[in-house]
Amino acid sequence: VVPSTTDPQDWWGYARCCARRYRDGVVPPALRVHGPVLQREERALVVAQDVNYSRLYGGDGTYTPASPWVVGRPATLAAAALFTAAVNRRRKAAARQRAAVRWRDHQQVAAIATTWRVMCNPGGRFVSFYYEAITEFHPDLSDWSMTLAFGDECEPLHLRGLAVPTVALWVATAVHGPDWADDPRLALLLA
């Protein structure tokens, strides 16, 4: 039974139970999902609320430079030029900072792991991250987190929360097939 509590021990026990049973050939039962529509043969394996979600990308780094229209004495023109240069330096520095690649869009989401994908609802609308598009899989069970990369398909995804070890389990089974149990990063689930 999927934990309905916020007790980490309940979620950790659930993840370990799922991993051991799946290793022993027991296919998990499909869970009911209300809201997003699954594909015909797709089954929900874990449904969780309150998962921390973020994406890794940079901003565009654009800014609008200030350009003064000043009429007056040379001293007034020079002061206006210095002021404008200072404003433009600040705007350029702020734009450079916004352009830096970093984890963005931090928010709490619902997450669903199915037999085909992980679904999250940033902004209230479900987005799908299909297992077949995953190019990198980095579970960190001690931090209750997981990072997925998708090559040029979309920005990397980072999830953190009580249900993430279970989500990582189902991602591993989809990405690695029967070799998922040999992944040392998942050894804690089978210990």
Side-chain angles (χ1 to χ4, degrees):
V1 175
V2 178
S4 60
T5 70
T6 57
D7 182 359
Q9 293 306 319
D10 289 348
W11 278 100
W12 184 249
Y14 177 70
R16 292 184 70 202
C17 180
C18 288
R20 288 190 205 121
R21 289 173 57 93
Y22 193 73
R23 178 194 58 197
D24 295 341
V26 178
V27 177
L31 301 176
R32 287 189 161 197
V33 174
H34 303 285
V37 177
L38 302 182
Q39 301 298 318
R40 186 173 296 267
E41 305 269 327
E42 184 178 23
R43 296 180 310 115
L45 303 172
V46 66
V47 178
Q49 304 299 320
D50 299 325
V51 173
N52 295 314
Y53 165 101
S54 59
R55 304 294 296 279
L56 182 67
Y57 63 91
D60 65 8
T62 60
Y63 72 100
T64 304
S67 56
W69 290 95
V70 179
V71 178
R73 298 180 186 199
T76 304
L77 295 175
L82 287 174
F83 178 76
T84 301
V87 168
N88 284 336
R89 272 194 304 277
R90 280 192 217 117
R91 287 182 182 180
K92 188 174 187 177
R96 206 176 300 125
Q97 190 176 36
R98 286 190 308 273
V101 174
R102 65 176 184 224
W103 291 104
R104 300 169 181 267
D105 302 336
H106 299 275
Q107 57 191 289
Q108 295 287 116
V109 299
I112 302 169
T114 77
T115 49
W116 295 3
R117 58 190 162 159
V118 172
M119 301 168 70
C120 300
N121 68 340
R125 183 178 143 260
F126 276 95
V127 178
S128 295
F129 301 95
Y130 285 89
Y131 301 140
E132 65 189 17
I134 294 173
T135 58
E136 294 181 45
F137 169 55
H138 303 284
D140 184 353
L141 300 181
S142 64
D143 187 46
W144 302 77
S145 68
M146 168 182 70
T147 302
L148 301 175
F150 304 91
D152 294 332
E153 188 114 349
C154 66
E155 296 87 7
L157 168 69
H158 181 76
L159 299 176
R160 186 173 188 281
L162 297 178
V164 173
T166 310
V167 174
L169 165 68
W170 300 127
V171 171
T173 63
V175 170
H176 297 306
D179 295 334
W180 72 270
D182 297 330
D183 187 332
R185 301 167 302 175
L186 301 174
L188 289 172
L189 293 177
L190 297 172

